[in-house]
Amino acid sequence: MFPSMRIPAQSDLQRPLRGLIPQDLVDRLARLRNQIVLVAEDTGGSDVAELRRALDEYLPLLIGLTKKEHGLEGSVEFKWKNLESGRQENSVANSLFELLSVIHMIAVLNLSEANRLMIPEDCSGSGIRVVSSDCKRDAVDLLLKASGCLVFCVREILAHLPPDIKKTISKDFQDGVLEAISIQALGQGTEIQLGFAVESQKASLSVKRRLACEQMIYFGQAYHFLSELDMSNGLGKKHLCFIKWKFLEAKAAAYYYHGLILDKGTEPACHVSAVCCFLAAGGILSESKKACLTFSLADPVTRSPPLWGAMKHLHQKIPEVASRKSQMYGYLLEEEKALQALPDLPDFDLSLAPDDFVLPEIDPAWDRNKGGIHSQPLKEHLKDSEDETET
């Protein structure tokens, strides 16, 4: 699950910028922004390559509007809307808000493309739908890029937005939401890596346990961020249910692999601890199934997601191993009741980190036209524009 895509809505750049910057700059800014609007609306946001190209062209020009020395930060009222509903969400006269919205859109495009790559396809004509290893690797790369975009939004843009503007923008941008989605992307990348490990005969139990523990930590952190916020509106409640479900899945996997490692010990205490882990994994897996149902039934109601990756394997293995091992070591559980305590999971440093997002260089047109950027106060400029309209 990823955020709804927000796209630019038609905004007037010509009138407020007329006379403040050279007309060719105004024309290019307006043309490229309108191109993003048209591509997003015509394709429903599905033409990711074309949207990325348009955004990549628009961004260096937009940066010029955010420079304090140009004095244009509040010159244009930028409008954005939700692509799915078509409802306008924000209209803000601040170029930093526009920059925030553009980079957020890039992040959502990366998340959307990663999700598309993880949809199984029948590439061989055999009727068996699978996700190729290349698609999985590309999906992880896109998730890391999306995470990096969102980290940049939080640290480099949101931190500098005036408080009065922060209060008016979409809840998608409130403190905590962007951080949660950034961490969620890392958790989903780790989930894909765990699926790789489960499919590989060379991956050790220690590697699988580590990945499951890391996935659990990522989703736990994301849940912590979201649970501190008001998530009662829109998709907020459903998003929180999704994170809880993925956290419980990861926790069940972590205890399962921890149990398999402990069970390799030779002391009775090792087997007792292993059984405690298997039983805990089984109980948590049952909780995760309920959490998945709660997620599906949360508004808007969606179909229950199919099992995939590591959990497709573990949904069968965890109950099976928990039942077999508890029967095998039932006598030890009776004899060693004092040892029947759930062992702590090991703590690991997290492996995945967001890719650094770096703003492109400002478009050279801004430097070439420094002499044409006027320092007329905004109020006077607006007054001139009103006078022109009246005449």
Side-chain angles (χ1 to χ4, degrees):
M1 182 177 179
F2 50 87
S4 298
M5 188 176 295
R6 297 167 64 260
I7 64 170
Q10 292 292 345
S11 304
D12 182 9
L13 276 67
Q14 293 282 354
R15 182 166 177 253
L17 291 175
R18 186 188 308 143
L20 293 179
I21 61 176
Q23 189 60 40
D24 65 318
L25 263 180
V26 180
D27 292 341
R28 285 181 64 201
L29 278 163
R31 176 177 58 79
L32 287 171
R33 195 177 194 276
N34 288 337
Q35 186 177 355
I36 297 167
V37 174
L38 291 173
V39 173
E41 289 181 340
D42 287 350
T43 67
S46 62
D47 194 341
V48 174
E50 187 61 25
L51 280 171
R52 276 188 186 144
R53 189 190 65 76
L55 288 164
D56 287 345
E57 282 190 57
Y58 179 56
L59 201 48
L61 275 176
L62 170 61
I63 291 170
L65 290 179
T66 68
K67 297 295 183 181
K68 289 187 182 295
E69 59 266 30
H70 295 159
L72 301 168
E73 299 101 309
S75 56
V76 177
E77 189 169 352
F78 293 102
K79 299 176 182 179
W80 284 73
K81 64 182 180 181
N82 185 290
L83 178 60
E84 293 177 14
S85 66
R87 181 174 57 84
Q88 182 175 309
E89 291 187 344
N90 290 114
S91 179
V92 181
N94 186 286
S95 56
L96 271 182
F97 163 75
E98 176 79 347
L99 184 64
L100 172 69
S101 299
V102 166
I103 297 175
H104 181 267
M105 185 177 178
I106 293 171
V108 174
L109 284 172
N110 285 331
L111 293 172
S112 175
E113 183 68 1
N115 184 65
R116 186 193 65 78
L117 288 173
M118 293 303 294
I119 297 173
E121 294 182 349
D122 179 13
C123 299
S124 63
S126 63
I128 301 173
R129 297 169 65 85
V130 297
V131 179
S132 70
S133 296
D134 287 343
C135 282
K136 292 176 185 177
R137 292 188 187 94
D138 290 344
V140 173
D141 289 342
L142 286 166
L143 289 167
L144 299 185
K145 288 178 181 177
S147 182
C149 288
L150 296 171
V151 168
F152 184 91
C153 287
V154 172
R155 295 179 183 173
E156 305 299 331
I157 307 179
L158 260 185
H160 302 289
L161 272 181
D164 58 321
I165 289 179
K166 280 187 180 181
K167 291 177 183 177
T168 63
I169 60 178
S170 168
K171 283 196 171 185
D172 287 346
F173 294 143
Q174 65 181 309
D175 291 336
V177 173
L178 297 181
E179 290 97 326
I181 299 171
S182 171
I183 297 169
Q184 173 190 329
L186 300 179
Q188 291 178 279
T190 307
E191 182 179 15
I192 295 171
Q193 290 183 327
L194 178 58
F196 267 126
V198 169
E199 293 170 1
S200 171
Q201 295 182 348
K202 296 180 180 179
S204 65
L205 289 176
S206 296
V207 167
K208 295 171 187 175
R209 178 181 64 178
R210 180 186 182 112
L211 289 169
C213 287
E214 289 184 26
Q215 182 188 339
M216 180 188 72
I217 294 169
Y218 284 127
F219 282 113
Q221 290 177 350
Y223 188 84
H224 172 74
F225 273 112
L226 291 180
S227 62
E228 303 258 308
L229 305 171
D230 177 13
M231 302 298 289
S232 57
N233 296 324
L235 288 172
K237 185 177 179 181
K238 194 173 186 73
H239 190 191
L240 196 61
C241 291
F242 174 81
I243 298 293
K244 182 178 180 180
W245 163 45
K246 301 310 290 184
F247 169 77
L248 290 171
E249 279 193 339
K251 190 174 183 180
Y255 271 114
Y256 171 72
Y257 287 117
H258 193 41
L260 291 179
I261 290 172
L262 291 174
D263 199 37
K264 290 185 176 294
T266 55
E267 298 295 323
C270 296
H271 301 308
V272 171
S273 294
V275 173
C276 289
C277 286
F278 295 138
L279 293 174
I284 297 166
L285 184 65
S286 297
E287 285 184 57
S288 78
K289 292 176 182 177
K290 294 176 184 176
C292 179
L293 180 60
T294 302
F295 161 69
S296 299
L297 294 177
D299 191 43
V301 176
T302 51
R303 287 185 299 176
S304 184
L307 292 174
W308 68 279
M311 293 315 297
K312 190 173 183 179
H313 167 75
L314 295 180
H315 264 249
Q316 177 182 348
K317 292 296 292 184
I318 289 175
E320 178 186 298
V321 171
S323 174
R324 179 160 47 85
K325 292 293 184 178
S326 58
Q327 290 177 17
M328 184 182 300
Y329 297 120
Y331 71 98
L332 283 177
L333 292 174
E334 288 296 321
E335 294 174 4
E336 307 287 350
K337 288 185 179 181
L339 298 176
Q340 289 185 36
L342 185 63
D344 292 333
L345 291 168
D347 198 15
F348 295 106
D349 292 331
L350 298 174
S351 303
L352 289 186
D355 280 356
D356 289 335
F357 177 82
V358 180
L359 278 179
E361 293 292 326
I362 187 172
D363 192 286
W366 286 97
D367 290 327
R368 288 197 303 268
N369 290 290
K370 273 184 179 176
I373 298 173
H374 303 299
S375 57
Q376 181 186 25
L378 181 60
K379 287 183 179 178
E380 292 182 22
H381 167 69
L382 293 176
K383 185 176 183 301
D384 291 345
S385 296
E386 288 169 5
D387 292 342
E388 287 175 15
T389 305
E390 289 170 7
T391 56

